[in-house]
Amino acid sequence: MRVAVLGVGVTKFGEHWESSFSQLFVEAGSKAIVDAGVDGKDLEAIFVGNMSGGRFIDQEHVSALIADHAGLTPIPSSRLEGACASGGLALRQGVMAILSGFHDVVVVGGVEKMTDILSEDTTETLATAANQEWEAFLGMTFPGLYALMARKHMHDFGTTREQLAMVSVKNHANAMNNPNAQYHSAITVGDVLKSPMVADPLRLLDCSPITDGAACMILASEERAREFTDAPIYITGSGQASSALSLHDRKAIPVVDATSNAAREAYRRAGKGPKDIGVAEVHDAFTIGEIVAIEGLGFVEMGEGGRATEEGITQMGGRIPVNTSGGLKAKGHPVGATGIAQAVEVTLQLRGAAGKRQVDADVGLTHNVGGSGGTAVVHILEKG
Amino acid sequence: MSVPRFWRNQQSRYNLVGVKCTNCGRTYFPPRSLCPSCRRLGKLEKFKLRGRGEVVTYTVIHTATDGFGDQVPYVMAIIRMEEGPQLTAQIADCDPSEVRIGMKVEAIFRKIQEDGTAGLIHYGYKFKLLEGGNAL
Ligand SMILES: [Zn+2]
């Protein structure tokens, strides 16, 4: 399969008190359209990832809001929701719309406006990605679920508290070279271990922040893409999988089976394997998330994620640089936008347009997770 | 949580009532309306868990959501019940530093949370460490 990426655009990630939900989307969309060199009238449909307009800004039906404010009515606009994997779902819907022949040029985007409400209310909203009746109601928090995975990983595989911290240290270092990242602050393992405890063993600097932001891409069929560019980046693999909503219903904790199932499909469609991947953006909503991601994606053996991180395999210059953008931890995590922002970063890397954080890669991968692993989406991108 | 939503699950929250599939013998908690293994061939009947299990993994919550702030720090765990199902619950009546993976635990009936907006007090299951049930 081959779907061309014609253009990409992101807002700066952070606290955008001066910008509204629709302004963020329009900014990212306008950048993607300009980057693609397409005209508004070339666009046939919009797919937007958004986790919770309803709770963050008290607005559902954001698909129409976006089409309206982007000046793209009357083309169809649809919202996809899979908690923190909403953006990945939107990307996949765009890919399928083009591969089916239904559309030739589409906008895929993601947006979340998380700072208009109190941070306690934001935390509650994020917790709705967990099972409300049988996890959250009993006192479980969203960081708590990842803490359960971290504890089990440390127990079963000897992963150390310091190794978890190294994920955060690496991603903060990478974000220093990303002008759109929320944080431009280098941190140390000591900083992570001294930060306030959130859900033992995870501390504040193990957790991704609350972020406003949007990201957009213009996708096209291979034939139609030739009108606009000679050398597009192609999406060559897409995989998605579901698993139990509740972490306790997954028998092999801390294995995130949705990740490995989605990856298997994406690798098969692309005709690639883990060894072919030269750069990856993975779902590090929590530090343990990146460790179980690189295992589930097959970059390292199960249980080796912590040691691999310590050995520097995932650093800039390592065997497979992971989260060159700074990841969710330091680039920021506007939940609905994250899956698209990951693909924007990999596109820039494959174009050779990633500036100071550029790595040498021909094939890249994105990995987006909803909740504690009830949904996972994996995409593979390649140079033309 | 709304009154009807809580009321529907009262049997399970108060008495650990799940379901057992008479076709494959698997047990599920909380109850499901379909056996995921047998699907339309399955036949589910009410099944009460004895209330004993062991800690699969745990965390100590320091930053709680609304309704739990007065309980921090508290232990939340995934517990594998003797009959097979796994569930999430608080481990009460202990120093959080005592808890270890593999410890044996037993269900107790406790106040879970006060619903600030509706003024309701919700009760349900928590767990306590069993004496002599230490992990290896
Ligand atoms: Zn059955």
Side-chain angles (χ1 to χ4, degrees), chain A residues 1-3 47 92-104 106 221:
Chain A
M1 56 167 274
R2 270 157 84 90
V3 169
F47 298 97
R92 183 168 155 96
Q93 285 298 311
V95 165
M96 294 195 298
I98 286 170
L99 288 175
S100 71
F102 213 97
H103 293 301
D104 286 316
V106 302
S221 63

Side-chain angles (χ1 to χ4, degrees), chain B residues 21-26 28 35 37-39 42-44:
Chain B
C21 176
T22 55
N23 190 49
C24 69
R26 287 183 175 85
Y28 300 100
C35 173
S37 292
C38 306
R39 293 203 282 270
K43 188 171 183 317
L44 295 170

Side-chain angles (χ1 to χ4, degrees), chain A residues 123-124 127 132-145 147-152 155-156 197-202 244 246-251 253, chain B residues 1 5-6 8-9 12-13 29-30 32 56-66 68 74 76-78 80 84-90 101 112-113 122 125:
Chain A
T123 306
E124 298 261 353
Q132 283 301 291
E133 293 194 331
W134 303 103
E135 291 178 328
F137 174 79
L138 297 160
M140 184 48 80
T141 64
F142 195 53
L145 291 168
L148 293 174
M149 288 190 232
R151 173 89 58 199
K152 191 73 161 64
H155 176 268
D156 289 1
M197 191 69 90
V198 174
D200 194 11
L202 298 183
S246 302
L247 179 64
H248 60 235
D249 280 331
R250 297 189 218 126
K251 299 301 180 200
I253 302 163
Chain B
M1 184 174 293
R5 202 175 175 192
F6 183 82
R8 272 197 296 277
N9 295 321
S12 301
R13 295 202 186 282
F29 183 89
R32 288 172 176 264
V56 175
T57 180
Y58 68 97
T59 176
V60 185
I61 304 289
H62 289 257
T63 305
T65 43
D66 202 25
F68 292 91
Y74 61 91
M76 291 298 298
I78 289 179
R80 184 184 299 114
Q86 294 186 163
L87 53 78
T88 297
Q90 185 175 339
I101 287 174
I112 302 294
Q113 59 160 304
H122 293 304
Y125 53 82

Side-chain angles (χ1 to χ4, degrees), chain B residues 10 13 63 75 77 95 105:
Chain B
Q10 214 174 21
R13 295 202 186 282
T63 305
V75 180
D95 183 322
V105 293

Side-chain angles (χ1 to χ4, degrees), chain A residues 41-98:
Chain A
K41 67 180 183 327
D42 295 316
L43 305 172
E44 297 170 29
I46 304 167
F47 298 97
V48 59
N50 174 247
M51 173 178 170
S52 195
R55 291 180 66 126
F56 288 130
I57 60 163
D58 215 9
Q59 177 71 61
E60 305 290 9
H61 205 182
V62 298
S63 49
L65 176 76
I66 282 164
D68 179 7
H69 281 258
L72 292 174
T73 56
I75 67 170
S77 179
S78 308
R79 167 189 174 180
L80 284 298
E81 191 276 309
C84 328
S86 301
L89 299 186
L91 175 55
R92 183 168 155 96
Q93 285 298 311
V95 165
M96 294 195 298
I98 286 170

